[in-house]
């Protein structure tokens, strides 16, 4: 990717900012800027799900050890 490449996320954000500033849409700025930060949110949710799954596995193993005794 060259240093002057415009990504799809940037293009969508620019279009949404123009629509917001011209009062065509009345969405919150959170929604307008969503294309810029949604990757971070998705990765964060994936990490959270993995951590929760690992926690449940550890809890289940600990519970089985306690119940087997």
């Amino acid at each position: 990717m060259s240093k002057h490449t415009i990504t799809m996320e940037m293009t969508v954000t620019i279009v949404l900012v123009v629509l917001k500033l011209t009062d065509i849409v009345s969405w919150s700025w959170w929604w307008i800027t969503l294309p810029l930060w949604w990757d971070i949110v998705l990765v964060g949710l994936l990490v959270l799900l993995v951590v929760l799954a690992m926690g449940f596995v550890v809890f289940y193993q600990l519970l089985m050890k306690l119940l087997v005794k």
Side-chain angles (χ1 to χ4, degrees):
M1 187 186 315
S2 72
K3 62 182 177 178
H4 298 294
T5 301
I6 295 178
T7 64
M8 182 62 86
E9 289 90 357
M10 293 169 62
T11 305
V12 170
T13 302
I14 290 168
V15 169
L16 290 175
V17 166
V18 169
L19 290 173
K20 172 78 171 173
L21 293 176
T22 57
D23 287 332
I24 294 175
V25 295
S26 61
W27 303 339
S28 165
W29 281 104
W30 288 105
W31 292 110
I32 301 296
T33 59
L34 179 68
L36 295 177
W37 51 267
W38 78 281
D39 291 334
I40 297 169
V41 171
L42 290 178
V43 169
L45 287 174
L46 181 63
V47 168
L48 179 65
L49 286 174
V50 169
V51 168
L52 285 173
M54 289 172 43
F56 281 124
V57 168
V58 169
F59 176 74
Y60 179 77
Q61 289 175 345
L62 180 63
L63 189 63
M64 287 297 111
K65 283 182 183 178
L66 290 174
L67 291 177
V68 169
K69 289 184 178 182

